[in-house]
Amino acid sequence: MTKLSVNVNKIAVLRNSRGGDVPNLLKAALDIERFGGEGITVHPRPDARHIRYSDVRELKAAISTELNIEGNPIPSFVDLVMEVRPAQVTLVPDAEDAITSNAGWDTIRNAEFLRDICARFNDAGIRTSIFVDPVVEMVEAAAACGTQRVELYTEAYAAGYKADREAAIAPYVEAAEAARRVGLGLNAGHDLSLENLKYFAERIAWCDEVSIGHALIADALYLGLENTVQLYRRCLVR
């Protein structure tokens, strides 16, 4: 079964909007684990508009499932990852002022940089994953960078799902097959939801992990956090 890692950034956004510690991020993460979440994902940004570096340290000390830290490997991010030593680091090429991640790496043009970063994290025992668009050449070049996994950027799949889910999934199946062929593990994330997750998991059954935050937390406002985590997990059962 594909594992569900819950991105808790939106919980931090709500907390930060009023200051203080409500909702409590650490309690929410521990509850997510208790409700069946198999990992916690965070994406700290330099402006700390949601997850703070201090949150990352507290989460690593408290949770029992895998911690996945996403972000652009700028020096401060690299230092944080090396200090915290999460189970996984996902390399994302987002600008500092980006609202959310909006593109995968060009793993050909940035090969030397990515090789150096992956080697540093791998030597520290941290699994690396490179965020890529569903393009076979980018997946294959990621393998040459020394990463253990790639994460497919699924916004295009989610956007095209209603109109033609078969056409929307096709490039992702091709990219996922390329990852398997070159020996890479496979993650996926961005705009996956209760509407489109089950079909994705059925068509790419060898996906190791999905990372879901925005849709899951939004659903939890209506359905409750415990129920929502379990509904998402059911989408991944095959």
Side-chain angles (χ1 to χ4, degrees):
M1 182 172 134
T2 302
K3 291 183 177 181
L4 172 65
S5 184
V6 178
N7 188 316
V8 295
N9 276 25
K10 287 300 186 295
I11 296 172
V13 169
L14 184 58
R15 176 200 62 188
N16 295 354
S17 69
R18 287 289 295 269
D21 198 30
V22 177
N24 184 276
L25 183 74
L26 186 56
K27 182 181 185 304
L30 293 173
D31 284 341
I32 287 166
E33 289 186 320
R34 184 163 57 87
F35 299 152
E38 296 155 299
I40 299 296
T41 292
V42 291
H43 190 142
R45 295 179 185 274
D47 61 7
R49 65 179 181 267
H50 36 62
I51 293 295
R52 303 164 181 156
Y53 280 21
S54 59
D55 293 327
V56 180
R57 297 182 180 100
E58 290 176 4
L59 286 166
K60 179 58 169 62
I63 67 172
S64 57
T65 57
E66 288 196 349
L67 177 63
N68 170 44
I69 306 179
E70 299 179 340
N72 194 329
I74 60 175
S76 60
F77 178 88
V78 172
D79 289 345
L80 176 69
V81 172
M82 293 299 291
E83 173 194 345
V84 172
R85 304 294 174 102
Q88 178 175 270
V89 57
T90 301
L91 308 178
V92 182
D94 53 352
E96 290 189 12
D97 59 350
I99 295 175
T100 186
S101 305
N102 55 18
W105 284 96
D106 183 331
T107 53
I108 298 172
R109 183 168 298 180
N110 296 285
E112 183 177 358
F113 173 73
L114 291 170
R115 274 197 299 269
D116 291 344
I117 293 292
C118 286
R120 182 169 181 184
F121 291 147
N122 292 340
D123 288 346
I126 304 166
R127 183 173 70 239
T128 51
S129 179
I130 296 177
F131 194 64
V132 295
D133 295 315
V135 178
V136 168
E137 292 79 9
M138 294 301 136
V139 172
E140 293 173 341
C145 295
T147 189
Q148 285 87 38
R149 293 186 185 181
V150 288
E151 178 173 331
L152 297 180
Y153 172 42
T154 49
E155 181 185 19
Y157 164 71
Y161 178 83
K162 284 185 179 179
D164 187 342
R165 68 179 189 175
E166 188 61 35
I169 197 68
Y172 290 89
V173 173
E174 188 176 6
E177 288 174 342
R180 184 163 59 174
R181 186 170 60 249
V182 298
L184 290 177
L186 184 68
N187 298 339
H190 204 93
D191 288 348
L192 294 174
S193 68
L194 287 175
E195 178 183 39
N196 58 47
L197 179 59
K198 183 174 177 61
Y199 184 67
F200 186 92
E202 289 173 347
R203 292 299 310 274
I204 307 176
W206 60 97
C207 185
D208 293 293
E209 174 186 290
V210 291
S211 175
I212 304 176
H214 183 82
L216 190 152
I217 300 304
D219 287 335
L221 294 175
Y222 294 93
L223 305 173
L225 185 57
E226 180 173 6
N227 186 38
T228 299
V229 170
Q230 293 174 4
L231 287 171
Y232 273 84
R233 286 200 66 200
R234 286 175 204 159
C235 291
L236 302 171
V237 173
R238 53 182 183 268

